[in-house]
Amino acid sequence: MSDRHPHGATDPVPRARSGVIGRRFPRTGTEPVTAQSPLGLRLLLSGVFLPLFVAGTAYFAVWAADSGSGDTPSRGALVVFAIVCAALALLAAADLLVVLRRLRRERGTPSSAP
C-alpha cells in the first residue's frame, strides 16, 4: 500500500471532472475563467429549507389532525400540504447528501473513517 494515500484517501477530483460523468461539454473559452461552483449555494439552500419543510410537514399534519369536518381549510387540503412539504423535505435532504458527497470528493477527504 502506498504511503501517499493513508486510510484509502484518493487524490481530489478536479472541478472539471466532478460529477458522475464529468464535464458534459468541452470548455469552449466563452465561459468565465473565474466561474464559481454552484455547490456552495446548493448547500446553503438545502440546509435552510430542509428544516423549514420538516417543520411545515409537522405543522400541517398536526393542523389536519386537529381540524373538524366543517373547518376551512378542509382536512384533505391540509393533508395535501403536509405531503407536499414532506416531498420537498425529502428532495432537500437528497440534494444535501449529493452536495456533501461531491464537496468531499473534490476536497479529497476520505468518505468514511476507518
Side-chain angles (χ1 to χ4, degrees):
M1 184 166 171
S2 173
D3 292 331
R4 184 175 168 199
H5 299 296
H7 305 294
T10 60
D11 288 331
V13 177
R15 287 201 188 268
R17 296 295 300 160
S18 65
V20 177
I21 300 172
R23 231 176 216 212
R24 195 171 280 175
F25 303 106
R27 180 170 161 75
T28 62
T30 59
E31 58 270 344
V33 175
T34 59
Q36 298 279 328
S37 170
L39 293 177
L41 180 60
R42 284 177 57 190
L43 181 68
L44 175 70
L45 290 173
S46 294
V48 168
F49 283 105
L50 176 61
L52 288 176
F53 288 135
V54 169
T57 301
Y59 178 75
F60 286 122
V62 169
W63 189 5
D66 289 342
S67 68
S69 60
D71 290 346
T72 303
S74 68
R75 179 175 287 172
L78 293 172
V79 169
V80 168
F81 289 147
I83 291 171
V84 168
C85 283
L88 290 172
L90 288 174
L91 184 66
D95 189 49
L96 189 64
L97 291 174
V98 167
V99 168
L100 289 174
R101 186 187 75 212
R102 286 184 182 176
L103 285 173
R104 201 177 312 124
R105 185 174 53 192
E106 285 179 2
R107 292 180 182 149
T109 56
S111 59
S112 62

